[in-house]
Amino acid sequence: MDAFPAKSALYCVDLTTQTPIAAIRETTRVVSASTIKVPILCCALQDVMEGRLSLQQSLAITPDNFCDDTEVFEPGYRRDGATLWEMLYWMIVSSDNTATNTVISLLGYDHVNRYCEAIGLSQTSLQRKMLDYQAIAEGRNNYTSPLDLYRVFSLLYRGEILTQSLRDVAFDFLSRCRSTDALQRYIPDPVPVLHKPGGLDHLNHDAGIFLLKDRPYYLGVFTWDGPALDGQPQQNRLIGQLSRMVYDAMKGEC
């Protein structure tokens, strides 16, 4: 990590014993990219649990929430919107930014941030929608830390937030994440992984839970200020190499 031409942080915890395995700059506050979508998901499901929202309610896509990078809400397909369940599904599984922005509009920045504070996320803050470069230019961004992402995943894993049925929804979405070129890049085995990556220019993260049968663990690797050319692939290789090192060590001790 020190030799790599990017800043980086890592946090790994044995979920059976809650013992940290490796902690390198784990409290560093970083621009979150799409990893912020995990606490957004949990906040929305908390509102469903408390009866303020329904997974079956319909959400329309307004022009200000539409992002051109969508691979879901395209011309001729679901351009008018979808249920909250489907919006949350695409937000996590495909990291769709149009779905995410629609959910952010539904929840509101203050509500998401109060939720993050209530569950103990001290470094996490939602200040802008996805791909809002004007907000970034104005000094507003989204932040988290490796330790905060661990807290979200561990609360879900230990059943300390949401009902069982809503945790099942979250686990289902996180297990079907279609981006597998970072934490899972060099893992040859069919181990279930509940995770959410995130990437922007010069920045790439991936964090989640490896459900090893005898020794499940959380691993979050965060990289930023990376190479300008071929940056994300290089940073994903680093994340993949670190993930394989941890996986081999944890699997070997099962």
Side-chain angles (χ1 to χ4, degrees):
M1 290 173 67
D2 288 341
F4 189 76
K7 296 177 182 177
S8 57
L10 178 151
Y11 196 47
C12 180
V13 179
D14 184 329
L15 293 175
T16 301
T17 63
Q18 302 301 313
T19 303
I21 302 300
I24 302 171
R25 297 178 284 275
E26 74 278 9
T27 61
T28 303
R29 196 182 197 217
V30 300
V31 173
S32 64
S34 288
T35 62
I36 194 77
K37 295 171 184 177
V38 180
I40 293 173
L41 169 68
C42 293
C43 179
L45 294 178
Q46 178 75 19
D47 281 5
V48 171
M49 185 181 76
E50 295 177 357
R52 288 190 291 272
L53 299 176
S54 166
L55 288 175
Q56 301 310 313
Q57 70 184 82
S58 296
L59 300 181
I61 299 171
T62 59
D64 60 310
N65 284 330
F66 185 81
C67 295
D68 289 334
D69 69 337
T70 183
E71 296 181 355
V72 179
F73 303 100
E74 299 174 322
Y77 186 73
R78 306 314 300 271
R79 197 66 179 262
D80 57 336
T83 64
L84 175 58
W85 183 94
E86 190 171 345
M87 290 291 186
L88 294 173
Y89 174 90
W90 294 121
M91 179 178 76
I92 298 298
V93 174
S94 293
S95 205
D96 189 88
N97 290 318
T98 298
T100 306
N101 286 350
T102 302
V103 173
I104 290 173
S105 286
L106 176 69
L107 299 174
Y109 298 107
D110 290 344
H111 182 56
V112 174
N113 288 325
R114 285 194 299 270
Y115 174 79
C116 291
E117 183 179 357
I119 64 172
L121 309 186
S122 61
Q123 302 277 28
T124 300
S125 176
L126 178 69
Q127 300 176 11
R128 65 167 177 84
K129 291 182 179 179
M130 302 299 109
L131 305 186
D132 186 349
Y133 299 110
Q134 180 63 36
I136 296 174
E138 294 171 356
R140 291 180 286 117
N141 218 325
N142 301 329
Y143 298 95
T144 192
S145 71
L147 188 61
D148 272 10
L149 261 293
Y150 161 70
R151 181 159 180 80
V152 177
F153 277 101
S154 64
L155 289 171
L156 282 170
Y157 180 79
R158 297 198 304 266
E160 295 183 16
I161 55 174
L162 306 176
T163 61
Q164 182 63 58
S165 62
L166 291 173
R167 286 196 302 275
D168 288 344
V169 171
F171 277 22
D172 178 49
F173 292 171
L174 292 162
S175 70
R176 289 200 267 173
C177 179
R178 294 180 181 178
S179 178
T180 59
D181 59 345
L183 282 181
Q184 295 149 284
R185 189 181 189 94
Y186 304 121
I187 306 297
D189 305 321
V191 57
V193 182
L194 315 174
H195 74 116
K196 183 72 192 76
L200 294 168
D201 291 343
H202 312 292
L203 176 160
N204 240 40
H205 313 318
D206 203 352
I209 294 173
F210 281 72
L211 292 173
L212 282 183
K213 182 179 179 180
D214 298 312
R215 204 174 184 201
Y217 63 91
Y218 164 86
L219 175 62
V221 184
F222 297 73
T223 65
W224 64 100
D225 292 349
L229 297 176
D230 194 30
Q232 289 194 7
Q234 287 189 50
Q235 288 166 231
N236 277 344
R237 292 184 196 114
L238 174 69
I239 294 170
Q241 291 164 6
L242 293 167
S243 180
R244 179 61 188 266
M245 290 170 64
V246 171
Y247 177 78
D248 286 345
M250 298 297 280
K251 186 179 179 182
E253 295 182 20
C254 290

